Amino acid sequence: MTSARLKRVEESATIRISNIANRMIKEGTDVINFSLGEPDFDTPKNICDAAAKAMYGGKTHYSPSAGIPELRAAIAEKLKTENNLDVTEKDVLVTPGAKQGIFEIMMGTLGDGDQALLFDPAWVTYDACIRFSGADTVWVPTVPEKGFLPDNFADYINDKTKLIVVNSPGNPTGGVFGKKTLKCIADIAIDHDLLVISDEIYEKIIYDREHISIGSFDGMQERTITVNGFSKAYAMTGWRLGYLTAPPEIFKLLQKIQSHSVSSATTFVQYGGLEALQGPQDGVKAMVDRFKMRRDILIDGLNKIGLECKKPDGAFYAFANVSEYGNGTKVAERLLKEAHVAVTPGIAFGSSGEDFIRISYATSIDRIREALDRLEKIFA
């Protein structure tokens, strides 16, 4: 009585760990939860005010399926000026979160027997969406010593390969692909006539590096689907607001999926997104500066304890090697049970993460210091 496609998809490990941690918290246990990828900052007031004004001003009716024209135009302008993508508002689809956009892309471009390449480790939902579509994931190993960069991945391409997923800055490693790596991916995509999904949700949370959109490379705009959203940069996770731009023939397919499923993003929420793009950006910088301070304290502390962890260049995740103490799953279970610190086993993101744990430092410096004290007692 259940769907065969659904049976191909496993429960989200990040949400499962967080649910366990939240249950322990409700029972009175002081758990430091490093498992979910959510900024702990409040959405800036000007964004909340804009959405409230829209709601009380009657913007509570159906939106055009692709999004309100004002927001689509603002996104197109942002993509032009910040990402060097030649798009107009007609090329922009506003979605109820970037995750919904990725789901629509997989359902619109993949089918039974197709294959999609993921650089291992990768965010858990990519594989789930690929499997939902009926296609298969091909996991491409990366090199931890080189910042989890892909190496010789052209060897994994065959006549069933349809697309490559790029996530930079990335979850779970915080890695950032430089121009050389992106150019290599672009050249291979062109040579083999492949689509590229570029998930750029963490583009503004980047430290001392430059974000580059792969769709801006010569010959790539006609084969790249760029996905982004408001959740990370503007602390708007619960608002569920994302967007994508795609080549015209693919765009039509994705718009069809959206119109027959979720219809559109929430109308008054879109006005909050418009204010996020057009209003003051100082809140973004302040948040990123805070994340950088947390990153430095956490990484220095982990390495002092003896947990090998390279300093990530983006996002807000540390990917620590715990092989000296067991695999990532056993260490995560031990930390939750004995130290009341919730982290995500690296294996949740692919086999390359077996010896790692992911720590989200989207929490206060005081809690990070407290967690380090607890970890030191466990690993001393």
Side-chain angles (χ1 to χ4, degrees), residues 152-211:
N152 298 325
F153 70 92
D155 296 341
Y156 293 82
I157 296 172
N158 57 47
D159 58 1
K160 294 182 180 180
T161 309
K162 193 76 174 289
L163 61 82
I164 304 170
V165 179
V166 173
N167 178 211
S168 175
N171 176 6
T173 68
V176 174
F177 289 176
K179 186 174 183 179
K180 182 179 178 181
T181 299
L182 291 172
K183 182 66 166 59
C184 177
I185 296 171
D187 289 344
I188 290 174
I190 292 170
D191 290 345
H192 294 271
D193 194 23
L194 302 177
L195 292 171
V196 171
I197 297 175
S198 183
D199 181 357
E200 304 182 12
I201 192 70
Y202 296 100
E203 68 164 342
K204 292 186 180 295
I205 305 176
I206 195 167
Y207 318 107
D208 306 318
R209 292 287 298 274
E210 176 189 11
H211 173 73

Side-chain angles (χ1 to χ4, degrees), residues 338-360:
E338 298 180 26
H340 301 153
V341 174
V343 300
T344 306
I347 192 68
F349 306 96
S351 60
S352 293
E354 182 177 6
D355 292 331
F356 294 78
I357 57 172
R358 190 196 74 170
I359 303 171
S360 170

Side-chain angles (χ1 to χ4, degrees), residues 321-340:
N321 189 327
V322 296
S323 57
E324 185 177 342
Y325 304 95
N327 64 39
T329 300
K330 291 181 179 180
V331 169
E333 291 173 352
R334 183 182 178 192
L335 291 180
L336 187 56
K337 181 179 180 180
E338 298 180 26
H340 301 153

Side-chain angles (χ1 to χ4, degrees), residues 26-85:
K26 287 181 180 179
E27 293 171 352
T29 304
D30 180 23
V31 175
I32 300 175
N33 194 347
F34 285 148
S35 63
L36 272 185
E38 177 177 28
D40 58 312
F41 302 94
D42 290 333
T43 305
K45 184 177 183 300
N46 62 304
I47 297 174
C48 296
D49 289 345
K53 180 180 179 181
M55 181 170 61
Y56 288 114
K59 306 297 186 183
T60 57
H61 301 278
Y62 286 130
S63 154
S65 183
I68 59 172
E70 305 96 312
L71 180 56
R72 295 175 73 191
I75 292 170
E77 181 62 25
K78 182 265 180 204
L79 292 171
K80 284 181 185 177
T81 57
E82 295 185 10
N83 303 94
N84 199 27
L85 301 180

Side-chain angles (χ1 to χ4, degrees), residues 108-145:
T109 61
L110 296 174
D112 295 344
D114 289 335
Q115 294 182 354
L117 300 191
L118 285 186
F119 299 131
D120 186 358
W123 180 49
V124 295
T125 298
Y126 297 135
D127 176 55
C129 289
I130 291 167
R131 290 174 176 270
F132 266 126
S133 76
D136 297 309
T137 299
V138 175
W139 291 93
V140 178
T142 57
V143 184
E145 295 77 17

